Amino acid sequence: MNDTVLIELRSEELPPKSLKPLSEAFAESVFSALRAQEFVAADSVCTPYATPRRLALTITGVADRQPDRVLEKKGPAVAGALDAAGKPTRALEGFMRAAGVTFAQLHRASDGKGEYFVARREKKGEELAAHLADIVAQALRKLPIPKVMRWGDSEHQFVRPVHGLILLHGDRVVAGEVLGLPSGRTTMGHRFLSTGEIRIGHPDEYVARLAAGKVIASFAERRASIAAQLDAAARKLQATLNPAAGLLDEVTALVEWPAVYVGEFEHEYLEVPQECLILTMQQNQKYFPLLDQGGKLLNKFLIVSNMQIDDPANIIRGNERVVRPRLSDARFFYDQDRKNGFANRVVRLGAVVYHHKLGSLGDRAQRLGRIARHVAERLGAEAHLAERAALFSKIDLLTDMVGEFPELQGIMGRYYLLHEGGLPVVADAIQQHYQPRFAGDALPQGNVACAAALADKLDALVGFFGIGQLPTGDKDPFGLRRAALGVLRILMETPLPLDLGELIVDAKNALLMQGIPLEAVDEPLLGFMLDRLRGMLKDAGHSVDVIEAVVAQRPTRIDLVPARLAAVSEFQRLPEALALAAANKRIGNILKKAPEDLPEPDIALLEEEAEKALFQRVVLMAPLVRSHVANEDYADALKVLASVRSEVDRFFDEVMVNVHEPLLRGNRLGLLQALYAQLNAVADISKLAV
């Protein structure tokens, strides 16, 4: 008989940030195990449910008994399993004992490579009741739980104490025990809005019966309900919600029967920078701040409550009373930081260790200033402003506000510098020097901010590479992958006409000037960053072969990479592309075996008409290719190169390169070297799949 299975594990409040992934992992593990043991039909559907106090799932089309199966076990090859007399060897006898079969019961099979023995055994299908509880227990043990706990006098362990277990198959309870709990068919509704046990007669009743007990079982439906209520409340107030990544999922994991109410705080708190107020409301209280149409914070916020009642006045007043001390703390930190001064704290950076091999924060600030000055000079920007922004960029790490809310670093530096009369361009650069902080984040705006941001990231990259602290596997404790991507995005998307190799040297020199010993860093770091560039370009939708054609040449002008990619993609569509890509690869292989000091091709040593024609074409192309590349007209450069196809084809058809006469051979290799340099002036076209 096929029917729906319901599994529910009821517990104390589960960790809100983990609820959704725990639910999905639990459902997937149970479903996979039932499928592996052939209890589920091909069209079975698994639906996870999750509330603060339960993990649950339903699976349709589950059989009450497995089908009878024939189990096969592959044994040793026939050739080595029998002795000269045709008797089983020790290896085959061991296999038969392990498989529980006799020699007469063995079968032979072939996989195309040879014949081998197979033990086949019929296995009667077992009942669901013999497996379901164990499958659930194993799924719970596999959950990504960093820390488990015990409760009462039990030896069982889980992320929270558990209180109830439902195992239903259709209208029948499947007997079993998980975490010391016997299976049943009863659960509990909302902690305050429901009374008594809820009896589940059939899995199909689960959602409706919980809803009657004031619980929305589906995480997705509960999330959608909260989002709709938030939007409706914001529209009613002619306001917008402040973006809050992850907060909606978190509050969804905190409530079972959500209701949204409007709270308010005193207008005077708006004197504090709104980023501080927003962060304390979202992070500490899980409230949703409201902004006016201009993006300015209102003194109103939205509360997602677990109590949907007719008169929520007490709930609203209670939340307003709770948030007020938090806002008062933020105002206190802000006032104290301004009172204690900002710029004069720069001397205190020297007392804070950045890294024991890389000096103090004061040392780092000095390096950032030097690097930012060099970057700004290359950009023709105000070098002294970039240097000042970089020098001051880490001061707010010593403030009370950033000590309480590290997420505000940079932001508070801007506010405090402006309070002391600092230039807006410097203050903006202090805020933006951390950008981009994550994929899709905004880039710093203006050359001064870009110089400070590049200095921050390059110092970290060169410093940690220089002391051998490279990322390994999925471990990147110093955020060097993120820093590399930030540098690449700033250079390519702004764009900035800067050479990455020169920037690395600037950062290295700043470290060396402080007497910090460094390992070889230039080439390893450039390779690391080009690997990140490959990933960026692949994510942007560029084909792998076009990316490799451009990046294989280890470009250091990252701002020119998009134009090179576009030109190579256009070249790839030309009819000459296939032959030239193949010829370029062939020339490269020939030159690998040639001497390094090849001469310039000499017209007097040309004998064959084909090599003379190729020489003339190379001479004619050279100034055109150089001009187009210098003007960054990469598509035109590649079109010029496409015109050499017939001469290249004729050369390889009619000319022997590796002749015995050394002068003639060297001249022909020199000609190929000159051609090879031109063919690869924009990209290594041998990498193209055409």
Side-chain angles (χ1 to χ4, degrees):
M1 177 191 74
N2 285 7
D3 212 330
T4 302
V5 158
L6 166 65
I7 299 166
E8 183 200 71
L9 186 74
R10 186 166 49 83
S11 68
E12 296 290 340
E13 275 72 5
L14 294 161
K17 291 183 179 179
S18 304
L19 180 62
K20 188 170 183 283
L22 285 177
S23 169
E24 292 170 348
F26 179 53
E28 173 59 28
S29 183
V30 171
F31 188 52
S32 297
L34 287 171
R35 183 170 49 208
Q37 298 193 34
E38 299 186 31
F39 281 108
V40 297
D43 58 351
S44 293
V45 176
C46 178
T47 305
Y49 299 99
T51 79
R53 298 193 296 150
R54 75 200 77 224
L55 296 176
L57 61 104
T58 58
I59 303 174
T60 62
V62 180
D64 60 351
R65 175 183 288 274
Q66 296 168 314
D68 295 340
R69 293 174 290 171
V70 175
L71 303 180
E72 282 196 358
K73 188 172 183 179
K74 184 178 178 180
V78 172
L82 300 175
D83 60 18
K87 301 290 186 181
T89 62
R90 288 187 177 181
L92 184 57
E93 288 176 347
F95 170 72
M96 291 188 295
R97 282 195 300 274
V101 296
T102 65
F103 183 72
Q105 293 173 315
L106 288 175
H107 300 267
R108 296 190 183 196
S110 175
D111 58 4
K113 298 178 182 179
E115 199 174 22
Y116 57 89
F117 284 109
V118 175
R120 295 193 179 115
R121 182 169 58 89
E122 286 191 8
K123 184 179 181 182
K124 289 288 186 182
E126 297 178 335
E127 292 188 357
L128 178 66
H131 293 273
L132 187 58
D134 185 56
I135 286 173
V136 171
Q138 289 189 40
L140 293 174
R141 284 194 290 270
K142 293 177 184 176
L143 290 181
I145 300 171
K147 189 175 182 180
V148 295
M149 61 184 297
R150 293 189 179 93
W151 55 95
D153 57 359
S154 169
E155 290 299 312
H156 298 288
Q157 298 180 350
F158 193 53
V159 64
R160 292 291 185 270
V162 297
H163 299 301
L165 174 69
I166 293 178
L167 298 178
L168 279 184
H169 182 227
D171 57 5
R172 179 176 63 89
V173 173
V174 179
E177 183 178 293
V178 177
L179 296 177
L181 296 170
S183 59
R185 63 168 72 245
T186 61
T187 187
M188 302 294 289
H190 193 283
R191 189 182 290 276
F192 305 111
L193 301 178
S194 177
T195 58
E197 293 183 339
I198 296 174
R199 186 179 186 277
I200 309 297
H202 188 279
D204 294 345
E205 303 174 4
Y206 183 67
V207 172
R209 295 287 289 162
L210 278 184
K214 305 300 182 184
V215 174
I216 301 176
S218 167
F219 187 96
E221 289 180 17
R222 204 162 62 253
R223 188 183 191 277
S225 172
I226 294 170
Q229 291 183 62
L230 289 170
D231 287 340
R235 283 197 305 271
K236 188 174 181 180
L237 295 168
Q238 297 184 325
T240 59
L241 292 166
N242 182 70
L247 182 57
L248 183 55
D249 280 348
E250 191 171 354
V251 297
T252 302
L254 288 168
V255 298
E256 292 185 321
W257 195 249
V260 172
Y261 305 120
V262 181
E264 189 171 335
F265 57 86
E266 288 77 2
H267 197 274
E268 64 193 56
Y269 288 115
L270 294 178
E271 297 171 3
V272 179
Q274 68 180 46
E275 292 90 345
C276 309
L277 305 180
I278 287 170
L279 192 60
T280 193
M281 283 191 281
Q282 290 180 169
Q283 184 169 295
N284 297 124
Q285 303 304 129
K286 314 306 175 189
Y287 298 153
F288 289 82
L290 292 169
L291 309 176
D292 65 17
Q293 299 305 314
K296 187 177 180 182
L297 182 67
L298 298 172
N299 64 323
K300 289 180 169 51
F301 57 91
L302 299 181
I303 307 155
V304 179
S305 172
N306 196 29
M307 299 283 287
Q308 194 177 95
I309 55 178
D310 294 333
D311 182 9
N314 287 335
I315 294 175
I316 295 171
R317 279 196 298 270
N319 280 278
E320 291 174 342
R321 187 168 58 249
V322 169
V323 77
R324 197 169 291 117
R326 295 287 189 180
L327 301 179
S328 295
D329 287 345
R331 182 169 61 181
F332 174 78
F333 293 142
Y334 182 56
D335 291 341
Q336 285 297 112
D337 286 338
R338 290 187 298 171
K339 186 185 303 181
N340 294 332
F342 179 69
N344 60 17
R345 295 181 190 227
V346 69
V347 296
R348 293 171 50 194
L349 291 173
V352 181
V353 175
Y354 171 58
H355 186 278
H356 70 281
K357 290 186 177 181
L358 297 174
S360 67
L361 279 180
D363 296 327
R364 184 163 197 247
Q366 294 296 322
R367 297 197 299 269
L368 298 187
R370 291 192 189 99
I371 300 167
R373 170 174 278 277
H374 287 304
V375 174
E377 287 172 347
R378 286 198 173 94
L379 293 172
E382 300 90 337
H384 67 288
L385 297 182
E387 182 177 22
R388 187 172 180 81
L391 283 169
F392 285 3
S393 62
K394 303 302 177 184
I395 296 177
D396 66 357
L397 297 177
L398 306 181
T399 62
D400 293 340
M401 185 68 82
V402 174
E404 181 71 13
F405 299 112
E407 299 89 342
L408 294 175
Q409 55 190 286
I411 294 171
M412 297 314 301
R414 176 182 178 276
Y415 278 110
Y416 293 145
L417 187 65
L418 289 175
H419 174 71
E420 296 186 356
L423 292 174
V425 66
V426 176
D428 291 343
I430 289 174
Q431 176 172 342
Q432 297 176 33
H433 86 281
Y434 288 107
Q435 295 173 206
R437 295 157 295 181
F438 48 84
D441 190 21
L443 298 179
Q445 299 298 305
N447 287 341
V448 172
C450 285
L454 288 171
D456 179 62
K457 295 163 181 57
L458 288 164
D459 177 74
L461 286 163
V462 174
F464 286 111
F465 261 73
I467 61 172
Q469 295 293 312
L470 283 63
T472 56
D474 60 350
K475 295 180 180 179
D476 186 10
F478 303 111
L480 300 186
R481 294 188 181 98
R482 182 174 66 248
L485 291 172
V487 170
L488 294 169
R489 282 194 60 202
I490 292 170
L491 294 177
M492 186 165 63
E493 296 176 26
T494 303
L496 296 179
L498 298 171
D499 187 282
L500 179 57
E502 293 175 358
L503 294 177
I504 291 172
V505 170
D506 284 344
K508 182 177 69 173
N509 288 339
L511 284 151
L512 293 174
M513 284 178 65
Q514 293 183 345
I516 298 173
L518 301 176
E519 300 175 7
V521 67
D522 301 60
E523 284 304 308
L525 179 53
L526 180 59
F528 172 80
M529 297 191 71
L530 292 178
D531 283 342
R532 306 283 81 70
L533 179 61
R534 287 182 174 92
M536 275 179 58
L537 297 174
K538 186 177 179 181
D539 291 343
H542 296 283
S543 63
V544 173
D545 59 333
V546 172
I547 293 170
E548 195 55 36
V550 173
V551 180
Q553 293 188 315
R554 300 178 73 79
T556 54
R557 281 290 301 276
I558 307 301
D559 58 310
L560 302 180
V561 165
R564 289 177 181 265
L565 290 168
V568 173
S569 296
E570 185 178 338
F571 171 78
Q572 195 176 31
R573 293 190 288 270
L574 296 177
E576 297 88 355
L578 174 62
L580 283 176
N584 191 51
K585 188 172 185 178
R586 181 177 180 181
I587 294 169
N589 290 333
I590 291 172
L591 293 176
K592 285 178 184 177
K593 302 173 184 177
E596 292 185 5
D597 54 344
L598 291 173
E600 293 287 330
D602 184 349
I603 191 170
L605 293 173
L606 301 175
E607 293 185 349
E608 305 288 346
E609 290 301 318
E611 64 180 324
K612 292 177 182 178
L614 180 60
F615 175 81
Q616 290 174 354
R617 175 64 69 178
V618 168
V619 170
L620 288 172
M621 286 193 313
L624 289 174
V625 172
R626 281 197 300 270
S627 175
H628 287 313
V629 170
N631 293 322
E632 301 171 14
D633 297 326
Y634 302 118
D636 290 339
L638 287 171
K639 287 177 184 176
V640 171
L641 292 171
S643 67
V644 77
R645 175 189 171 180
S646 59
E647 287 84 355
V648 171
D649 289 346
R650 184 183 173 193
F651 178 87
F652 280 118
D653 286 342
E654 300 179 13
V655 178
M656 172 70 72
V657 176
N658 289 316
V659 293
H660 291 295
E661 209 287 309
L663 286 177
L664 193 59
R665 182 175 65 251
N667 198 59
R668 289 174 179 174
L669 288 171
L671 176 59
L672 290 180
Q673 185 178 61
L675 173 63
Y676 190 71
Q678 292 187 30
L679 289 175
N680 293 278
V682 174
D684 183 352
I685 60 174
S686 68
K687 303 291 185 182
L688 295 179
V690 289

PDB file of all heavy atoms in Angstrom, residues 556-570:
ATOM      1  N   THR A 556      48.248  42.651 -17.034  1.00  0.00           N
ATOM      2  CA  THR A 556      48.292  43.446 -15.806  1.00  0.00           C
ATOM      3  C   THR A 556      47.475  44.726 -15.914  1.00  0.00           C
ATOM      4  O   THR A 556      47.261  45.394 -14.909  1.00  0.00           O
ATOM      5  CB  THR A 556      49.745  43.793 -15.437  1.00  0.00           C
ATOM      6  OG1 THR A 556      50.374  44.428 -16.550  1.00  0.00           O
ATOM      7  CG2 THR A 556      50.518  42.536 -15.067  1.00  0.00           C
ATOM      8  N   ARG A 557      47.047  45.065 -17.139  1.00  0.00           N
ATOM      9  CA  ARG A 557      46.109  46.171 -17.300  1.00  0.00           C
ATOM     10  C   ARG A 557      44.700  45.575 -17.286  1.00  0.00           C
ATOM     11  O   ARG A 557      44.127  45.242 -18.320  1.00  0.00           O
ATOM     12  CB  ARG A 557      46.401  46.933 -18.589  1.00  0.00           C
ATOM     13  CG  ARG A 557      47.551  47.900 -18.498  1.00  0.00           C
ATOM     14  CD  ARG A 557      47.211  49.101 -17.622  1.00  0.00           C
ATOM     15  NE  ARG A 557      46.059  49.841 -18.116  1.00  0.00           N
ATOM     16  CZ  ARG A 557      46.103  50.781 -19.048  1.00  0.00           C
ATOM     17  NH1 ARG A 557      47.272  51.140 -19.559  1.00  0.00           N
ATOM     18  NH2 ARG A 557      45.014  51.394 -19.456  1.00  0.00           N
ATOM     19  N   ILE A 558      44.153  45.435 -16.105  1.00  0.00           N
ATOM     20  CA  ILE A 558      42.868  44.760 -15.933  1.00  0.00           C
ATOM     21  C   ILE A 558      41.738  45.551 -16.575  1.00  0.00           C
ATOM     22  O   ILE A 558      40.734  44.977 -17.019  1.00  0.00           O
ATOM     23  CB  ILE A 558      42.594  44.527 -14.432  1.00  0.00           C
ATOM     24  CG1 ILE A 558      43.783  43.803 -13.779  1.00  0.00           C
ATOM     25  CG2 ILE A 558      41.332  43.723 -14.233  1.00  0.00           C
ATOM     26  CD1 ILE A 558      44.117  42.471 -14.385  1.00  0.00           C
ATOM     27  N   ASP A 559      41.883  46.878 -16.654  1.00  0.00           N
ATOM     28  CA  ASP A 559      40.834  47.700 -17.265  1.00  0.00           C
ATOM     29  C   ASP A 559      40.676  47.412 -18.750  1.00  0.00           C
ATOM     30  O   ASP A 559      39.612  47.685 -19.323  1.00  0.00           O
ATOM     31  CB  ASP A 559      41.147  49.187 -17.058  1.00  0.00           C
ATOM     32  CG  ASP A 559      42.505  49.581 -17.652  1.00  0.00           C
ATOM     33  OD1 ASP A 559      43.499  48.880 -17.370  1.00  0.00           O
ATOM     34  OD2 ASP A 559      42.558  50.580 -18.386  1.00  0.00           O
ATOM     35  N   LEU A 560      41.705  46.842 -19.392  1.00  0.00           N
ATOM     36  CA  LEU A 560      41.638  46.551 -20.820  1.00  0.00           C
ATOM     37  C   LEU A 560      41.123  45.144 -21.118  1.00  0.00           C
ATOM     38  O   LEU A 560      40.905  44.807 -22.283  1.00  0.00           O
ATOM     39  CB  LEU A 560      43.026  46.729 -21.446  1.00  0.00           C
ATOM     40  CG  LEU A 560      43.670  48.119 -21.287  1.00  0.00           C
ATOM     41  CD1 LEU A 560      45.026  48.142 -21.955  1.00  0.00           C
ATOM     42  CD2 LEU A 560      42.760  49.203 -21.843  1.00  0.00           C
ATOM     43  N   VAL A 561      40.939  44.350 -20.100  1.00  0.00           N
ATOM     44  CA  VAL A 561      40.518  42.960 -20.307  1.00  0.00           C
ATOM     45  C   VAL A 561      39.156  42.868 -20.999  1.00  0.00           C
ATOM     46  O   VAL A 561      38.987  42.070 -21.932  1.00  0.00           O
ATOM     47  CB  VAL A 561      40.532  42.188 -18.971  1.00  0.00           C
ATOM     48  CG1 VAL A 561      39.765  40.876 -19.078  1.00  0.00           C
ATOM     49  CG2 VAL A 561      41.973  41.922 -18.546  1.00  0.00           C
ATOM     50  N   PRO A 562      38.126  43.632 -20.607  1.00  0.00           N
ATOM     51  CA  PRO A 562      36.829  43.508 -21.303  1.00  0.00           C
ATOM     52  C   PRO A 562      36.931  43.771 -22.802  1.00  0.00           C
ATOM     53  O   PRO A 562      36.304  43.061 -23.601  1.00  0.00           O
ATOM     54  CB  PRO A 562      35.955  44.557 -20.606  1.00  0.00           C
ATOM     55  CG  PRO A 562      36.535  44.680 -19.241  1.00  0.00           C
ATOM     56  CD  PRO A 562      38.012  44.541 -19.441  1.00  0.00           C
ATOM     57  N   ALA A 563      37.706  44.773 -23.206  1.00  0.00           N
ATOM     58  CA  ALA A 563      37.852  45.064 -24.634  1.00  0.00           C
ATOM     59  C   ALA A 563      38.555  43.913 -25.347  1.00  0.00           C
ATOM     60  O   ALA A 563      38.207  43.558 -26.489  1.00  0.00           O
ATOM     61  CB  ALA A 563      38.631  46.366 -24.824  1.00  0.00           C
ATOM     62  N   ARG A 564      39.560  43.317 -24.705  1.00  0.00           N
ATOM     63  CA  ARG A 564      40.249  42.174 -25.307  1.00  0.00           C
ATOM     64  C   ARG A 564      39.299  40.976 -25.448  1.00  0.00           C
ATOM     65  O   ARG A 564      39.309  40.274 -26.458  1.00  0.00           O
ATOM     66  CB  ARG A 564      41.465  41.779 -24.460  1.00  0.00           C
ATOM     67  CG  ARG A 564      42.611  42.794 -24.535  1.00  0.00           C
ATOM     68  CD  ARG A 564      43.760  42.389 -23.618  1.00  0.00           C
ATOM     69  NE  ARG A 564      44.843  43.350 -23.647  1.00  0.00           N
ATOM     70  CZ  ARG A 564      45.926  43.270 -24.409  1.00  0.00           C
ATOM     71  NH1 ARG A 564      46.064  42.239 -25.213  1.00  0.00           N
ATOM     72  NH2 ARG A 564      46.862  44.202 -24.364  1.00  0.00           N
ATOM     73  N   LEU A 565      38.492  40.750 -24.430  1.00  0.00           N
ATOM     74  CA  LEU A 565      37.522  39.649 -24.508  1.00  0.00           C
ATOM     75  C   LEU A 565      36.557  39.854 -25.662  1.00  0.00           C
ATOM     76  O   LEU A 565      36.261  38.921 -26.419  1.00  0.00           O
ATOM     77  CB  LEU A 565      36.745  39.555 -23.192  1.00  0.00           C
ATOM     78  CG  LEU A 565      37.507  39.070 -21.959  1.00  0.00           C
ATOM     79  CD1 LEU A 565      36.677  39.323 -20.706  1.00  0.00           C
ATOM     80  CD2 LEU A 565      37.837  37.588 -22.068  1.00  0.00           C
ATOM     81  N   ALA A 566      36.032  41.063 -25.793  1.00  0.00           N
ATOM     82  CA  ALA A 566      35.080  41.350 -26.868  1.00  0.00           C
ATOM     83  C   ALA A 566      35.726  41.149 -28.234  1.00  0.00           C
ATOM     84  O   ALA A 566      35.121  40.587 -29.158  1.00  0.00           O
ATOM     85  CB  ALA A 566      34.547  42.774 -26.726  1.00  0.00           C
ATOM     86  N   ALA A 567      36.984  41.605 -28.374  1.00  0.00           N
ATOM     87  CA  ALA A 567      37.684  41.473 -29.650  1.00  0.00           C
ATOM     88  C   ALA A 567      37.935  40.009 -29.991  1.00  0.00           C
ATOM     89  O   ALA A 567      37.754  39.579 -31.140  1.00  0.00           O
ATOM     90  CB  ALA A 567      39.003  42.239 -29.595  1.00  0.00           C
ATOM     91  N   VAL A 568      38.341  39.218 -29.009  1.00  0.00           N
ATOM     92  CA  VAL A 568      38.612  37.797 -29.255  1.00  0.00           C
ATOM     93  C   VAL A 568      37.325  37.064 -29.602  1.00  0.00           C
ATOM     94  O   VAL A 568      37.303  36.195 -30.488  1.00  0.00           O
ATOM     95  CB  VAL A 568      39.307  37.164 -28.033  1.00  0.00           C
ATOM     96  CG1 VAL A 568      39.443  35.659 -28.212  1.00  0.00           C
ATOM     97  CG2 VAL A 568      40.682  37.784 -27.823  1.00  0.00           C
ATOM     98  N   SER A 569      36.233  37.395 -28.938  1.00  0.00           N
ATOM     99  CA  SER A 569      34.946  36.769 -29.254  1.00  0.00           C
ATOM    100  C   SER A 569      34.537  37.083 -30.689  1.00  0.00           C
ATOM    101  O   SER A 569      34.010  36.218 -31.407  1.00  0.00           O
ATOM    102  CB  SER A 569      33.867  37.257 -28.285  1.00  0.00           C
ATOM    103  OG  SER A 569      34.153  36.850 -26.969  1.00  0.00           O
ATOM    104  N   GLU A 570      34.773  38.322 -31.120  1.00  0.00           N
ATOM    105  CA  GLU A 570      34.450  38.706 -32.497  1.00  0.00           C
ATOM    106  C   GLU A 570      35.360  37.978 -33.488  1.00  0.00           C
ATOM    107  O   GLU A 570      34.917  37.486 -34.530  1.00  0.00           O
ATOM    108  CB  GLU A 570      34.594  40.223 -32.654  1.00  0.00           C
ATOM    109  CG  GLU A 570      34.182  40.750 -34.006  1.00  0.00           C
ATOM    110  CD  GLU A 570      34.286  42.259 -34.100  1.00  0.00           C
ATOM    111  OE1 GLU A 570      34.278  42.927 -33.041  1.00  0.00           O
ATOM    112  OE2 GLU A 570      34.395  42.779 -35.235  1.00  0.00           O
TER     113      GLU A 570
END
